[in-house]
Amino acid sequence: MTVKKAASLESEGKVVLPGDEVLRIPEHGQIRIGPGLQQQGSKIVATRPGVVRVAAGSKVWLDSRQRRYVPAEGESVVGVVIDRMGESFNVDINGPSTAALPLLAFEGATRRNRPNLRTGDLVYARVVVAHRDMEPELSCMDVHGTAAGFGPLEGGLPESVTTSHARRLLSQPTPVLLRTLAGGLSFELVVGQNGRVWVNAPDTAATVAVANAIQQSEGLSEKQAATFAQELLNGLQATRAVKTE
Amino acid sequence: MEFVSPEGLRLDGRRPKELRRLACELGCLPHADGSAQLQMGNTKVVAAVFGPHEVTNRGDMVNDRIFINAEVAIAGFASDRKKIGRGDRRAAELTRSLRGALEQTVLLEQAPRSQVDVFVHVLVADGGLLPACINAAVLALAHAGVRQRDTMAACSVAYLESTPLLDAGAAEESGGGAVIVAALLQAAEVLPLLTVDRKLPLETLEAVIELAAAGAAAVSQWMKAQLLDHVQKLAICQAVAR
């Protein structure tokens, strides 16, 4: 137990590249490897550039930058309806293949009462089935069958970020960037774990400001992001002051 | 023309086993999922990666693996030779070799029935086009987060005046001697790609391949250093790495 823990913690926080050995498989105990790692013989090797993360001493994975999404069951995503094929919608969720969203996977939907989604509409859904060899399946209901915020997203502005940035936006405590923006504006924000984001605010300028802030804060640290957001807010207030004069 | 002077210097002043200057920029194309611009001496190439995403032609879909849609294009202004047009044989051959090499290093089972586009454009052609295309593609794929076996790198060797010359320029490549390109997966000690143009005496083959592999290993180390630098900067900004 102790030997395994020491080995994992050694590489925690280390930056690795494709082909680098992350750790050796210990003789006793179990290790669960996550995204970005692969077993090659008796070694665990990185398959893309990233930072090694360890949790609970036995779960190891890589934190890496990726624009594309790998569907996983239970995650919430923002998708674009591409077309309707029979009893389900074809939705683009920024993954290796499009996903299927059944017509009846909406709260209160029956054969006579169908959801009114057209090609190009944005939809916030939950991933129900995700397997490497199959097309992922979505649902606009939670496990209990209620809408719970899922469904079509009307109006607003979609934006695209990396999946790691989306995860950071969804983390607790709320990131400084979002807190700063919320201090000066009121807006609605939906962050999909697939790197697709949707912003809606009462007026266009605010919507664009928030969307810009989210997209351009990718490579910034917490402090830089907060400063950036504050500057955006100041600029927005200045233009509004000019308008009212 | 003399390719190796009596003092042992090549046309551009390098020694026979010296690589040209390497430079790269990751993420140069903001709309691509991954991108890299690479310079090996004067040769400059840009690679853009999109995917894994849905296949564009149903006929290309492979049931249990990724379909790599590699495409190499040589810009009309890349060299002093006039651009031939769409039917450029050189670009077609580069495309075939690039796809073959990438299929050896990308973990194809990671996303069955999907497609990864790798578009490489040669902006300045001064020899070593295939190695530059392969290296830029590997960097762009790593930047996009497409999973690979190892950081594959490639290097060329021209055999002129009984001397193997590492990382040949355009003048040396068209000097009449054989040109060998080798790609290397360092950890596995495997050459996923080996091409030989024109004829080479059999007894020199081993030495030439070894030199090409050594050159590829050096390029691989350099590429890893660039990737490390890039990821570290990003991670430190986001306070993830220590």
Side-chain angles (χ1 to χ4, degrees):
Chain A
M1 241 338 212
T2 343
V3 174
K4 171 190 68 179
K5 272 199 176 142
S8 314
L9 289 171
E10 223 176 76
S11 27
E12 153 98 77
K14 191 170 145 202
V15 179
V16 288
L17 300 169
D20 285 356
E21 182 184 319
V22 173
L23 75 144
R24 297 233 153 222
I25 295 177
E27 280 141 30
H28 310 285
Q30 274 187 339
I31 290 225
R32 293 175 67 170
I33 56 175
L37 296 175
Q38 191 192 46
Q39 177 182 355
Q40 283 177 12
S42 66
K43 303 188 287 183
I44 291 175
V45 167
T47 52
R48 47 185 203 220
V51 182
V52 179
R53 306 282 271 154
V54 178
S58 63
K59 293 185 203 166
V60 194
W61 75 95
L62 282 189
D63 219 340
S64 47
R65 173 203 174 273
Q66 196 177 27
R67 283 205 90 90
R68 301 300 299 189
Y69 171 61
V70 178
E73 196 181 305
E75 294 192 340
S76 310
V77 297
V78 170
V80 182
V81 177
I82 293 188
D83 66 47
R84 186 172 127 180
M85 279 171 46
E87 284 297 309
S88 60
F89 294 108
N90 229 2
V91 182
D92 168 20
I93 55 170
N94 196 28
S97 61
T98 54
L101 172 59
L103 280 168
L104 297 175
F106 291 79
E107 186 181 8
T110 60
R111 290 202 171 271
R112 290 172 190 260
N113 179 20
R114 291 193 185 155
N116 189 16
L117 279 180
R118 293 153 307 169
T119 307
D121 281 353
L122 283 166
V123 64
Y124 182 48
R126 188 173 60 94
V127 179
V128 173
V129 175
H131 189 266
R132 195 185 58 174
D133 297 302
M134 279 166 35
E135 190 183 51
E137 202 181 291
L138 306 174
S139 168
C140 279
M141 294 188 295
D142 65 5
V143 282
H144 307 294
T146 57
F150 295 118
L153 300 169
E154 313 265 326
L157 186 67
E159 210 39 272
S160 173
V161 296
T162 59
T163 49
S164 42
H165 190 51
R167 273 200 301 276
R168 222 162 309 138
L169 289 171
L170 288 168
S171 62
Q172 295 295 333
T174 315
V176 184
L177 171 79
L178 295 178
R179 273 186 277 145
T180 316
L181 287 171
L185 297 169
S186 70
F187 58 92
E188 211 184 325
L189 173 67
V190 175
V191 178
Q193 283 168 291
N194 60 335
R196 293 269 162 81
V197 161
W198 178 83
V199 183
N200 196 18
D203 66 300
T204 327
T207 313
V208 172
V210 176
N212 272 339
I214 288 175
Q215 200 191 41
Q216 287 168 31
S217 58
E218 276 254 24
L220 301 179
S221 68
E222 289 258 303
K223 261 198 215 162
Q224 287 173 318
T227 323
F228 176 58
Q230 194 53 57
E231 280 175 17
L232 260 176
L233 284 176
N234 294 342
L236 199 62
Q237 263 139 30
T239 48
R240 281 186 175 158
V242 170
K243 268 194 202 159
T244 51
E245 270 165 28
Chain B
M1 173 150 59
E2 198 183 55
F3 292 102
V4 186
S5 74
E7 297 87 47
L9 297 177
R10 293 152 75 172
L11 291 172
D12 56 1
R14 281 187 289 154
R15 296 258 160 217
K17 294 192 181 174
E18 219 178 295
L19 281 172
R20 292 182 289 182
R21 196 168 62 100
L22 297 164
C24 85
E25 190 193 326
L26 288 167
C28 50
L29 303 172
H31 293 294
D33 293 334
S35 56
Q37 178 176 297
L38 176 72
Q39 264 181 277
M40 290 176 75
N42 291 327
T43 299
K44 190 194 275 196
V45 308
V46 173
V49 167
F50 295 89
H53 61 74
E54 187 92 7
V55 291
T56 37
N57 297 326
R58 286 248 128 185
D60 290 331
M61 191 192 308
V62 187
N63 234 345
D64 59 347
R65 53 179 65 179
I66 290 178
F67 164 64
I68 296 185
N69 179 32
E71 213 179 278
V72 179
I74 303 178
F77 47 79
S79 65
D80 51 5
R81 254 196 280 174
K82 198 170 141 192
K83 184 179 166 82
I84 300 165
R86 288 235 112 201
D88 192 355
R89 244 176 359 139
R90 213 163 46 140
E93 204 174 311
L94 286 170
T95 301
R96 251 198 311 275
S97 305
L98 176 65
R99 183 183 305 125
L102 292 180
E103 281 174 356
Q104 302 282 321
T105 178
V106 171
L107 294 172
L108 298 172
E109 312 78 35
Q110 70 186 278
R113 307 158 66 117
S114 69
Q115 175 176 322
V116 171
D117 297 318
V118 182
F119 301 128
V120 185
H121 278 250
V122 178
L123 302 175
V124 181
D126 185 21
L129 292 191
L130 181 56
C133 289
I134 291 175
N135 297 334
V138 167
L139 283 170
L141 285 165
H143 186 246
V146 176
R147 305 217 295 275
Q148 298 175 80
R149 216 173 297 277
D150 197 350
T151 309
M152 177 173 73
C155 196
S156 67
V157 168
Y159 189 75
L160 288 166
E161 292 170 8
S162 311
T163 324
L165 303 173
L166 186 63
D167 193 13
E172 290 166 335
E173 276 187 353
S174 45
V179 176
I180 292 86
V181 176
L184 174 74
L185 287 173
Q186 204 163 16
E189 290 175 3
V190 160
L191 296 178
L193 175 129
L194 181 67
T195 63
V196 180
D197 272 340
R198 299 192 209 101
K199 295 180 202 164
L200 183 70
L202 194 58
E203 58 271 12
T204 61
L205 186 65
E206 202 176 317
V208 166
I209 292 179
E210 252 179 63
L211 180 60
V219 176
S220 177
Q221 290 306 315
W222 176 84
M223 278 164 59
K224 285 185 165 175
Q226 302 303 305
L227 278 172
L228 202 71
D229 198 43
H230 179 85
V231 179
Q232 238 159 12
K233 278 196 193 130
L234 209 62
I236 289 171
C237 268
Q238 293 155 357
V240 173
R242 285 167 215 165

